[in-house]
Amino acid sequence: MVDIVKILENKRVRPTAMRLLVYKLLANRENAISLGELEKDFKTSERSTLYRTIKTFEERGLVHAIEDGTGIIKYAICENQFTTKGNNDLHLHFRCNTCQETVCLTDYKIPQINLPKGYEAENMNLIIRGICEKCNVD
């Protein structure tokens, strides 16, 4: 089992009890999760605490935000937990039209895009919509 305390400390995040619990929950999920869904798992926690935890994780490159076209931002664990560099976790995301889950397709990387002179990319997000393998049963 990966030592969550070391992962957080490596990203300069103080490993509080709440941060450890949130990280563990996110790491054990196969799909991305919204703040609202996270709240359901932590009913006795303050919404602001969960929000600050997610935002800290995002700023430190522990999670990435996914805008899947639903208007609700989802969050998922980043691949490169042991790097101290910025988040270069650019991969495809898949949104299932049947079960409504959004998952990271980490084996499918977004290629480098050469922008015109004067343009600078700050964020990139590629969503594929369709039917996931769980729902695609004949």
Side-chain angles (χ1 to χ4, degrees):
M1 169 102 183
V2 177
D3 186 355
I4 299 171
V5 172
K6 286 183 183 177
I7 291 171
L8 295 180
E9 288 175 343
N10 186 54
K11 294 288 189 170
R12 298 186 328 258
V13 174
R14 193 166 50 90
T16 64
M18 179 56 72
R19 289 173 177 170
L20 292 168
L21 290 170
V22 170
Y23 186 93
K24 185 175 182 179
L25 182 131
L26 291 171
N28 289 326
R29 291 187 65 100
E30 291 183 15
N31 59 312
I33 187 173
S34 69
L35 183 59
E37 292 169 308
L38 186 63
E39 282 182 89
K40 291 176 187 174
D41 289 314
F42 293 96
K43 291 178 183 167
T44 60
S45 299
E46 299 260 344
R47 179 182 180 96
S48 60
T49 301
L50 293 171
Y51 178 79
R52 284 192 310 272
T53 298
I54 287 293
K55 284 301 171 190
T56 298
F57 285 2
E58 186 179 14
E59 290 166 3
R60 299 292 184 179
L62 289 162
V63 301
H64 60 282
I66 304 164
E67 296 178 38
D68 63 2
T70 62
I72 300 170
I73 295 180
K74 310 280 187 333
Y75 299 92
I77 293 289
C78 292
E79 284 183 273
N80 305 325
Q81 298 298 302
F82 292 103
T83 63
T84 54
K85 296 178 182 175
N87 182 12
N88 293 323
D89 200 13
L90 297 175
H91 54 263
L92 301 179
H93 297 99
F94 189 92
R95 171 81 177 161
C96 181
N97 293 328
T98 302
C99 67
Q100 308 299 309
E101 286 188 356
T102 300
V103 296
C104 295
L105 301 176
T106 55
D107 290 340
Y108 299 89
K109 304 298 181 196
I110 297 175
Q112 176 67 38
I113 305 293
N114 294 320
L115 297 173
K117 184 177 180 179
Y119 289 81
E120 182 179 335
E122 293 182 349
N123 190 355
M124 194 178 317
N125 190 22
L126 183 56
I127 299 290
I128 299 172
R129 293 175 177 269
I131 310 298
C132 72
E133 65 180 350
K134 290 185 283 187
C135 295
N136 196 8
V137 180
D138 292 329

